[in-house]
Amino acid sequence: MKSIKILAPLALLLALAACDDKPAPFGDFENRVSIEQSSEVSTIFVKQTTLSDERSFYATTPKPVDRDVTLLFAADESRVADYNRRYGASAVMLPADFYEIEGAEALIAAGTNRSEQVTVRFHDLDRLDTEALHVLPVSMSSSDGLARLASARTVYYVLQGAAIINVVATLSEGNYIAFDEVLDGESASCKVLDNLEAFTLEALIRCRSTVLDAGIKTVMGIEGHCLIRISDNGLAPNQLQVVLPTPYGTSNFSEAATCLIPAEKWTHIALTCDVASGRMILYIDGQVAIDKSGNTFKAVNLGTPYVNPSREVYGFNIGYSYTLGRELDGDITECRVWNVVRSQEEIAANVYEVDPGSEGLVAYWKFDEATGETIRDHTGNGNSGKAHAALKWTSVSLPEAAGTPEGGADEN
């Protein structure tokens, strides 16, 4: 009995000692470094107008490193064959004169677990032969003695010839693009969207069959101030309506004969308004749907939330107004805000793309990210939006060739 009493405390001490071998809170495992990426393949669509692009990534470890670790990254032509084998492709290595790697020597500082940013800059892409598929594998070539995770040491940048529009965002019930972090009436970036005495709003949309069902579907704008939406009380389910501010509240504009939005078909919408003259024109697919003159309008403020008489606050959104249940159910791309009245000819000639530096263009959301939930403002004004929920991205090829069936393939 005495030997049992002696052995029991000894076993307890040994067990405690074994627990102490695992440093809290990470445990006892090898600290391997890997490239932080949502996908190992990143596709860059190269159009005739594409001159440059850039993509960035970091390297991370599961737990902080106990010393400075220097990582080296380099183009890795030996991985081209691996890419082709795994993805059933016939890609060739991107020539060196089309890219440069900035931050190819990146540090993970002691006590941290994330490296400095590595950026791959692509340039002179207008000279690239887009008939061939190109790939640029970038691998972690050295990790300063730290073990590398073999399955996450390379990222593949794939460059392929493209149509003008190759991917769009698909909005559905419960999802829309919000701008409350930037269009708050206070940030410097929002001012370009305020006090619009003359403006043009554009969007290219493809509604689902639900556009033929009762209920409001929203394209873009601010509830109770300036809004483009589909349907309302007394309107057909797929009848487009425009709401504009007046000194007395708002005025609504629609025409049953000319404002019907089809299901499963790409439709371009453009609204122009000149406050001084009181004229508004709504174009659908480049054709005049409404032309009203002699109105009394107020300047539009899309950068500042609208506060209605009931003290309810509404900001600018794409695909949302008033409350959930009024989202745009369908695909969307090429949303733009101009501080000028665009002509019918300008609108019809630039449905699928405009130069982000165009005079008068103050916000430009292309919806071409193909990943993530952030929708970038291509004007450089910084008014990027964020999806309310995880976005679905859909592959397309626009403009469509004659005879091409409507529809698209899901990207994710």
Side-chain angles (χ1 to χ4, degrees), residues 172-371:
S172 57
E173 185 174 350
N175 206 4
Y176 56 91
I177 310 302
F179 295 84
D180 48 289
E181 293 183 7
V182 287
L183 302 183
D184 56 4
E186 298 179 1
S187 61
S189 65
C190 72
K191 302 304 180 185
V192 297
L193 293 176
D194 278 344
N195 197 33
L196 299 178
E197 297 277 351
F199 60 88
T200 302
L201 306 181
E202 294 182 81
L204 182 59
I205 64 173
R206 178 174 59 180
C207 294
R208 296 287 179 260
S209 59
T210 52
V211 76
L212 303 176
D213 299 334
I216 291 175
K217 298 90 179 173
T218 307
V219 179
M220 63 193 298
I222 297 179
E223 174 69 28
H225 179 60
C226 176
L227 193 64
I228 301 174
R229 65 188 175 197
I230 300 170
S231 195
D232 195 3
N233 292 333
L235 302 185
N238 63 328
Q239 187 172 333
L240 194 70
Q241 182 187 63
V242 172
V243 180
L244 291 171
T246 73
Y248 319 103
T250 57
S251 289
N252 300 344
F253 300 88
S254 186
E255 294 288 348
T258 57
C259 292
L260 299 182
I261 303 299
E264 304 297 344
K265 181 180 183 297
W266 283 106
T267 305
H268 184 259
I269 298 166
L271 166 67
T272 70
C273 181
D274 179 38
V275 173
S277 67
R279 186 182 186 186
M280 65 78 61
I281 305 176
L282 176 66
Y283 301 93
I284 297 179
D285 288 334
Q287 301 301 310
V288 176
I290 304 174
D291 186 347
K292 298 288 186 180
S293 298
N295 302 284
T296 303
F297 295 123
K298 290 174 60 178
V300 164
N301 297 297
L302 299 180
T304 299
Y306 170 69
V307 183
N308 69 15
S310 300
R311 309 308 298 170
E312 296 170 316
V313 181
Y314 298 101
F316 178 84
N317 296 281
I318 294 175
Y320 173 89
S321 65
Y322 186 62
T323 187
L324 290 175
R326 296 186 174 190
E327 299 84 358
L328 178 73
D329 184 18
D331 304 320
I332 190 164
T333 183
E334 292 296 308
C335 289
R336 311 165 192 157
V337 179
W338 305 76
N339 64 8
V340 295
V341 172
R342 300 272 282 174
S343 70
Q344 182 176 12
E345 293 73 22
E346 289 172 325
I347 290 168
N350 297 277
V351 169
Y352 301 103
E353 187 176 48
V354 294
D355 182 349
S358 298
E359 183 177 355
L361 185 62
V362 292
Y364 187 13
W365 302 288
K366 293 179 66 65
F367 288 87
D368 63 350
E369 287 77 10
T371 186

Side-chain angles (χ1 to χ4, degrees), residues 45-62:
F45 295 106
V46 182
K47 300 177 284 187
Q48 290 182 342
T49 56
T50 303
L51 301 179
S52 61
D53 206 322
E54 66 177 53
R55 302 296 166 96
S56 299
F57 62 85
Y58 301 88
T60 60
T61 56

